[in-house]
Amino acid sequence: MTRPPDPPGIHGPMADLYDVFVDWEGRLGREMPGIVKRLRETDARRVLDAGCGTGRHVAALLREGFDAHGADVSEEMLAQARAFTGAPGRFHAWRMGDPPPDLGAPFDALLCLGNVWPQVLDVDAALLAFRRLVRPGGLVLVGLKAVEARRAGKDPFMPLLKRMHEGRPLWFIRFVDFEDAEFAHLHMVVVGGDAAFHRSTRMRVWSPGTLRGAFERAGFRDVSVSARIGEPGVAPTTEDVFVHARA
Ligand SMILES: C[S@@+](CC[C@H](N)C(=O)[O-])C[C@H]1O[C@@H](n2cnc3c(N)ncnc32)[C@H](O)[C@@H]1O
């Protein structure tokens, strides 16, 4: 059975369920102190969240006093971000891989969080765009699952998540299927009652070494692949990593 490739970005039922899937209170509680620390260390004021999804990081950054903007390829995610923040002018349509439209560059920092980066297949074009968007010396902070670490463990499954939605349990089942050395498919099955919904996303298989090499070849400096969002230089022990780099 052949079918056309899925368009990039999160669409349809998955877009509607994204904020059910993510425990935003827990996640922002874990991530924001480190993000704010790194932004303050860079004297950052204008920040772009690339692959901003439903806009929760932009909203949290606005609360912290930053001039935050978001960009995403999915109009459905952008619509949610505009409605949630009540700041529609801060959200822009951009597919990483295409030349950026006028997003109001230069930014002092660019964030790309929540495993967007492995979904960016045109890496060279995206890194060139990052360099154009961020002022010299500005911060690039990318959070992702570098799933090469998972291959050796031979465990395709990510933790099973149960969420309550409209009074009923929803189960999120995720697993990684390796296509070859470079690419894998991240499958997500959402099960609720007797119904199930499936989507798979083709993504790049990154490791700390290949991440560092790609950013360095693209001209970034002080590149570090760290286990911590708020601190470069901490050796990763799991697939969850953060690239810290300077434009
Ligand atoms: C898993 S969500 C992450 C959203 C948010 N950054 C977070 O941390 O929760 C991935 C987001 O990246 C977007 N996306 C995927 N590929 C993209 C691309 N090439 N350019 C821009 N956005 C992309 C999707 O539409 C989706 O909103």
Side-chain angles (χ1 to χ4, degrees):
M1 186 175 70
T2 55
R3 55 165 214 187
D6 288 327
I10 295 186
H11 303 280
M14 225 37 120
D16 295 337
L17 290 175
Y18 191 68
D19 287 339
V20 178
F21 164 68
V22 178
D23 161 22
W24 278 113
E25 197 183 328
R27 209 179 138 194
L28 292 174
R30 284 191 305 279
E31 292 183 346
M32 285 308 292
I35 294 171
V36 169
K37 171 177 172 276
R38 292 296 285 145
L39 292 176
R40 297 222 163 108
E41 285 169 0
T42 317
D43 288 329
R45 198 184 71 80
R46 277 176 67 69
V47 182
L48 179 67
D49 183 10
C52 62
T54 55
R56 301 300 179 108
H57 287 102
V58 170
L61 289 167
L62 291 171
R63 284 197 295 276
E64 294 284 345
F66 293 96
D67 177 14
H69 299 255
D72 202 284
V73 69
S74 163
E75 276 301 336
E76 288 158 272
M77 297 299 262
L78 286 169
Q80 293 196 42
R82 290 176 182 130
F84 178 74
T85 57
R90 291 185 176 274
F91 293 93
H92 314 271
W94 178 42
R95 174 190 164 275
M96 276 178 269
D98 292 341
D102 180 9
L103 301 173
F107 293 91
D108 302 312
L110 181 147
L111 310 177
C112 182
L113 302 170
N115 209 37
V116 185
W117 183 245
Q119 297 173 43
V120 175
L121 302 179
D122 199 345
V123 168
D124 292 342
L127 289 175
L128 182 66
F130 285 8
R131 288 204 50 201
R132 289 197 176 140
L133 288 166
V134 180
R135 65 154 162 85
L139 174 72
V140 172
L141 178 55
V142 179
L144 70 144
K145 290 190 180 297
V147 295
E148 182 58 35
R150 179 171 290 278
R151 196 198 301 269
K154 293 194 165 61
D155 179 6
F157 289 103
M158 293 177 174
L160 181 63
L161 292 179
K162 180 185 179 183
R163 303 282 190 234
M164 295 306 291
H165 180 52
E166 296 174 346
R168 296 174 56 180
L170 275 187
W171 292 89
F172 292 84
I173 302 160
R174 293 166 298 158
F175 60 96
V176 177
D177 183 25
F178 288 95
E179 179 181 314
D180 55 25
E182 263 186 278
F183 293 102
H185 297 261
L186 175 60
H187 292 266
M188 187 188 281
V189 182
V190 187
V191 178
D194 56 5
F197 167 76
H198 168 253
R199 180 171 156 92
S200 80
T201 307
R202 190 164 186 252
M203 61 176 193
R204 199 169 274 279
V205 175
W206 288 106
S207 69
T210 57
L211 280 166
R212 196 176 312 108
F215 278 78
E216 284 177 352
R217 274 195 305 281
F220 290 89
R221 58 186 177 79
D222 299 343
V223 180
S224 168
V225 181
S226 175
R228 302 246 176 93
I229 196 167
E231 195 180 346
V234 180
T237 53
T238 71
E239 67 186 358
D240 292 301
V241 301
F242 299 92
V243 182
H244 300 251
R246 299 258 169 221

